Amino acid sequence: MTTTSAPLPDMPGADDCAPDVQVGTIEAVQGPVIDIVCERLPPLNWGLYVTNGGERYTLEVHAELDEHRVRAIALHRTSELRRGMQVFDLGGPLSVPVGEECLGRLLDVFGAPLDGGPALAATQRRPILAPPAPLAEAASAAGVLATGIKVIDLLCPFARGGKTGLFGGAGVGKTVLITEFMHAIVKLHQGVSVFAGVGERIREGHELWHDMREAGVMPRAVMVFGQMDESPGVRFRVGLTALTYAEHLRDSLARDVLLLIDNVYRFVQAGSEISGLLGRMPATVGYQPTLLTEVAELEERISSTRSGSITSVQAVYVPADDLTDPGVSAIFAHLDTMVVLSRGQAAKGFYPAVDPLKSSSKLMSRRLLGDRHYEVAEQVREHLARYRELEDIIAMLGLEALSEQDRLIVHRARRLQRYLTQPFHVVSQHTGIPGVSVPLEQTLADCEAFLRGDHDEAEEDACYMRGAMSEAAA
């Protein structure tokens, strides 16, 4: 990996660093942790490298132990490294080659190809560690970003240029939902997508790459992967690499960019692993003491400017389905929309398995959505909430024990529940059901018809896994 990055003058000690100059020798190798005796101390987060048998091993400085030693994390396997090997200066923090030719490619944390294609031209490089956009140039979220997914657009709409989190345990459909968003942004909005696979299983990454190619999405997408078996340093930095490509596409193409991260919790786990390797004392529930800072460094760079917007959708694994876990709670404060995927919904076959009562959005106000959308969403939520309250009574005493008004609410809520399910484009080849995309105006009209009682005589199955109700009737 040859770099043309110039030293950053605002980093302490950067003026004394030059690329390909020896900075010291390896003193100890403990897994991915490398202790280096230096002639001059490189700054924190600075890139170093070691060569052995024609292979280059990249290191990143994470701690200064004393006036002559630093501790670095290797971004490669360290089985070939040993004490006494020479360590050289990379000339700056880690950087990646950028350009419009990155579209349609599958890359690693260094911007090197994983798809067997040619390497990206290194005519322009961009450091993966960078400050967020200046406050004077930042732009706030600008309205609703329609996804064509009924339950999302109706009850927890996405903000254009905002950040959305998909919270759920294992196997409730986070990756499928994220993939559908990528399809939506390319097909509906003609934007570009950047997908970050943080600690992905190689099987998932391989399947997703082929699914994207078959869906015709890849020509306007970039995929960046740091796999589960790689160094914690790779899993810790791969999200920043993907964000660097998103920033470049935002600034160069001046288009809407959809940044998808699967999974942010693995980024938190990688930071916890690195913190333990560096010898830091753990904090709450064993997480690293720098948890809030590390999450903020990633999230606050996801911003929109006058030139373009970055809309982020992030999958967040919830350990033991506990939304109060500190690693999960640290992400909450940075989000505009929170979509909670429920294991109960998935068990009933309601996909996407969005829990309409736990999910929320900061856009849910009359001023931003208008009176019609706000009132329809509130009435739908009231019907579903009342049905959930009555479920125990129905299970014990039967539907006949309810009042006539409650029975009517239950009948309509059950139809609304099924109407808010939807077949997805990206899994149509597996399910055999063609994917559908429903405009928000159609979703509102259908929900108004349910609330008025226009579909009281319809079979519940006729509402399940359909698009608009006009299609169901046909």
Side-chain angles (χ1 to χ4, degrees):
M1 174 183 158
T2 304
T3 181
T4 57
S5 296
L8 302 181
D10 59 338
M11 295 185 72
D15 293 335
D16 300 328
C17 298
D20 304 320
V21 172
Q22 183 179 348
V23 296
T25 58
I26 294 179
E27 180 187 46
V29 180
Q30 305 173 51
V33 179
I34 312 293
D35 288 349
I36 304 165
V37 177
C38 301
E39 300 166 8
R40 51 182 175 77
L41 292 183
L44 293 177
N45 298 323
W46 204 254
L48 307 173
Y49 70 90
V50 180
T51 57
N52 183 34
E55 295 290 331
R56 172 173 287 193
Y57 300 82
T58 306
L59 318 174
E60 187 178 31
V61 177
H62 277 267
E64 295 181 351
L65 302 179
D66 54 41
E67 62 270 22
H68 298 296
R69 295 186 304 145
V70 297
R71 179 163 288 171
I73 297 293
L75 303 183
H76 297 88
R77 297 183 185 277
T78 57
S79 56
E80 299 298 322
L81 301 184
R82 60 185 182 274
R83 295 172 63 184
M85 296 182 75
Q86 295 178 336
V87 180
F88 297 92
D89 195 342
L90 204 56
L94 297 179
S95 63
V96 292
V98 294
E100 199 165 339
E101 65 272 17
C102 67
L103 290 172
R105 301 303 303 275
L106 178 65
L107 307 171
D108 66 8
V109 69
F110 306 107
L114 293 173
D115 53 11
L120 299 182
T123 54
Q124 184 182 357
R125 300 188 71 90
R126 194 162 178 156
I128 67 171
L129 290 168
L135 193 60
E137 298 179 11
S140 60
V144 175
L145 179 67
T147 65
I149 300 173
K150 295 179 286 188
V151 65
I152 298 290
D153 291 343
L154 177 67
L155 298 177
C156 41
F158 288 5
R160 184 185 299 272
K163 295 188 277 284
T164 297
L166 306 179
F167 296 84
V172 294
K174 298 186 296 298
T175 300
V176 171
L177 196 50
I178 270 196
T179 311
E180 186 71 9
F181 293 141
M182 183 185 288
H183 183 277
I185 201 73
V186 172
K187 296 295 184 182
L188 299 181
H189 303 282
Q190 297 301 308
V192 293
S193 303
V194 179
F195 183 92
V198 182
E200 284 283 285
R201 302 174 185 89
I202 189 169
R203 172 189 57 79
E204 290 180 342
H206 184 266
E207 290 176 356
L208 183 60
W209 179 44
H210 282 282
D211 289 344
M212 292 296 95
R213 295 170 66 187
E214 291 170 5
V217 171
M218 276 306 294
R220 301 197 62 80
V222 184
M223 301 185 76
V224 184
F225 275 94
Q227 294 171 8
M228 188 175 282
D229 65 331
E230 296 191 76
S231 161
V234 169
R235 289 179 271 122
F236 190 58
R237 292 305 190 200
V238 68
L240 296 180
T241 296
L243 181 52
T244 301
Y245 281 108
E247 289 173 333
H248 172 73
L249 294 171
R250 175 197 66 191
D251 299 337
S252 63
L253 298 183
R255 300 287 289 275
D256 288 339
V257 180
L258 180 65
L259 174 64
L260 304 116
I261 305 176
D262 186 11
N263 185 302
V264 179
Y265 186 76
R266 294 198 188 109
F267 162 78
V268 171
Q269 284 181 312
S272 179
E273 193 172 340
I274 288 175
S275 180
L277 291 169
L278 295 175
R280 294 178 184 146
M281 184 70 70
T284 310
V285 197
Y287 286 103
Q288 62 270 40
T290 53
L291 172 63
L292 297 178
T293 300
E294 290 169 2
V295 171
E297 285 176 350
L298 174 69
E299 297 287 355
E300 291 306 300
R301 276 181 62 188
I302 304 173
S303 62
S304 301
T305 64
R306 298 189 183 109
S307 60
S309 68
I310 297 180
T311 303
S312 174
V313 181
Q314 308 166 22
V316 184
Y317 170 71
V318 181
D321 293 335
D322 180 14
L323 290 171
T324 63
D325 184 271
V328 175
S329 300
I331 303 166
F332 281 162
H334 300 278
L335 302 177
D336 300 299
T337 302
M338 187 174 76
V339 178
V340 178
L341 300 179
S342 162
R343 198 170 301 281
Q345 292 284 96
K348 295 174 184 176
F350 296 152
Y351 291 101
V354 176
D355 189 321
L357 303 181
K358 291 183 179 178
S359 303
S360 62
S361 173
K362 293 180 180 177
L363 295 185
M364 286 299 295
S365 71
R366 290 182 184 273
R367 182 177 62 84
L368 295 173
L369 298 181
D371 289 339
R372 182 192 180 200
H373 185 169
Y374 180 81
E375 288 173 3
V376 170
E378 286 300 298
Q379 289 182 49
V380 169
R381 203 184 297 270
E382 286 172 8
H383 275 64
L384 297 176
R386 182 59 178 161
Y387 175 41
R388 186 165 295 181
E389 291 173 0
L390 297 170
E391 279 183 323
D392 288 341
I393 296 176
I394 296 170
M396 290 186 294
L397 303 177
L399 195 61
E400 295 74 15
L402 302 181
S403 67
E404 184 177 347
Q405 180 64 29
D406 282 342
R407 282 201 299 271
L408 188 60
I409 289 175
V410 167
H411 283 302
R412 291 176 181 174
R414 287 176 61 87
R415 285 162 176 75
L416 281 168
Q417 241 181 5
R418 285 154 179 75
Y419 171 73
L420 294 177
T421 62
Q422 186 168 340
F424 284 165
H425 295 87
V426 293
V427 292
S428 59
Q429 59 182 343
H430 303 296
T431 62
I433 306 174
V436 294
S437 180
V438 183
L440 174 60
E441 186 65 28
Q442 183 64 55
T443 301
L444 293 176
D446 285 344
C447 288
E448 285 175 331
F450 277 111
L451 295 169
R452 285 195 306 266
D454 294 356
H455 300 298
D456 284 355
E457 301 304 320
E459 294 290 334
E460 291 181 1
D461 288 346
C463 309
Y464 178 70
M465 281 293 173
R466 299 286 190 272
M469 283 305 292
S470 56
E471 299 173 11

